[in-house]
Amino acid sequence: MTTSLTAHVSLPTLGIFGGGQLGRMLAQAALPLGIRCAFLENAESSPAAVLGPVFGSGQLAEFQQAVTVLTLEFENTPLTEVDQALTTQLMHPPRIALATAQNRLLEKGLFDRLSIPTPAYRAIQTHRDLQMAVQELGLPLVVKTATGGYDGKGQWVIREASAIPELWQQMQPAVPLIAEAFIAFEREVSIIAVRNQSGEIRCWPLAENHHHQGILSHSIVPAPRSEQLEQQAQAHMSVLMNELQYVGVMTLELFVTANGLLANEMAPRVHNSGHWSIEGAVCSQFENHIRAVADLPLGSTALVQPCVMVNVIGQHPDLAAVLAIPGAHVHFYGKTEREGRKLGHITLMPVPEMTQSQQISALKAILPNKLSLPD
Ligand code: AMP
């Protein structure tokens, strides 16, 4: 008894900023390793609460007391809270990665410095800046809030010069903004990688991502026709992670164009386009993040079998009906239904009795929100 307790004494208790579904799946991966998690989360009900104590931001001191090392699942975690917690604990990934990802201008500046191709952009503070950006980058032009946007929120597309005055009225309260050249991309992909404390980097295969009304609908893994893209994406990822001295899992969202890959944005965390890795990879993004933060050996990021991950958005499908589809793995997050809300995901793994497109059709038939799934 005493021996087994002693054997676990060196394992950390992870303090996770955020207690959403990503925190829940991180804690699910930590559980079999004997690693405990606690969460800092202000929302009234937290999907992660079933897996560990949840502290509100008024309880930051108690949170600090309860944990031995910090990590994050919520990208908009206030830096003031992080700074307070950093007075007593280490955090992986580093603060600089979070601060950079929270500001699109800093993020693009980093891509430029590291020669990672990204859409041409301009910082926008004034109406004049916007007019200059239209002149220099042309139309259509994508304008985004520099901070605070997610899932396509806080974004505008200017298609005609005549629309500028009206759109400026909407945008102006949200300055600072960033204007980006509109990229007529072929498709969108993401690369997810993990870096440990000695600098070893492992990448999962590229995912091809499909969106519906600004939210991820489904990811196909491996991304079709991606051998050459994979090398480019891995090179960008390793430059980025080494520069930031990153520890943990990081995601880079990319546009595929005729001239190669353009980086759209980075996320200093596990990512929706990597949920497939729970069943589809030897070691999932969640477990490898835990391993990196806890300074344990990394697991293999190799693909087990090609698969598709489909998000459940707004309304739950009938559980029994989904489970009746051969190869379907269900992950509900314990959230109440609301339009546009991510409630869960379903991973379709290969089975002998059905093709992947038959599995997708069967799932589409029972999903209340059909998303952008193919027929
Ligand atoms: P983001 O919040 O930057 O991830 O943008 C959300 C979505 O808007 C992306 O997944 C793209 O589909 C689209 N988008 C963002 N930036 C651009 C751009 N510069 N050109 C064309 N589409 C874009």
Side-chain angles (χ1 to χ4, degrees), residues 94 96-97 100 109-111 113-114 116 195 201 235-247 250 266:
I96 178 81
T100 307
L110 178 64
F111 293 159
R113 266 205 319 287
L114 299 176
I116 297 174
R195 184 177 184 275
I201 295 175
H236 296 334
M237 197 50 136
S238 77
V239 169
L240 204 49
M241 287 181 121
N242 288 332
E243 168 72 17
L244 295 167
Q245 288 294 295
Y246 198 92
V247 172
M250 174 159 147
M266 59 184 242

Side-chain angles (χ1 to χ4, degrees), residues 252-275:
L252 187 60
E253 296 181 25
L254 300 147
F255 299 138
V256 180
T257 73
N259 301 320
L261 293 172
L262 292 181
N264 176 32
E265 63 178 358
M266 59 184 242
R269 55 170 172 80
V270 289
H271 194 260
N272 195 171
S273 66
H275 291 0

Side-chain angles (χ1 to χ4, degrees), residues 67-149:
V67 307
T68 51
V69 62
L70 302 165
T71 188
L72 62 101
E73 63 99 79
F74 179 54
E75 207 167 312
N76 287 321
T77 299
L79 290 175
T80 48
E81 286 179 7
V82 170
D83 289 339
Q84 167 62 37
L86 282 175
T87 57
T88 51
Q89 322 287 14
L90 282 177
M91 181 171 81
H92 304 298
R95 181 192 191 279
I96 178 81
L98 179 64
T100 307
Q102 285 185 355
N103 185 323
R104 291 183 192 272
L105 288 162
L106 293 179
E107 186 177 76
K108 289 275 199 271
L110 178 64
F111 293 159
D112 281 349
R113 266 205 319 287
L114 299 176
S115 303
I116 297 174
T118 190
Y121 66 94
R122 297 287 184 276
I124 307 289
Q125 293 278 0
T126 64
H127 189 237
R128 174 88 191 122
D129 292 339
L130 184 61
Q131 287 171 321
M132 291 293 291
V134 171
Q135 257 178 40
E136 290 169 13
L137 305 178
L139 292 176
L141 188 72
V142 183
V143 182
K144 305 175 181 177
T145 54
T147 59

Side-chain angles (χ1 to χ4, degrees), residues 203-230:
C203 300
W204 282 269
L206 283 189
E208 180 179 293
N209 301 323
H210 297 261
H211 296 86
H212 179 69
Q213 295 171 347
I215 302 175
L216 185 68
S217 153
H218 59 285
S219 297
I220 301 169
V221 187
R225 311 176 304 283
S226 60
E227 295 74 23
Q228 303 215 332
L229 302 178
E230 194 104 33

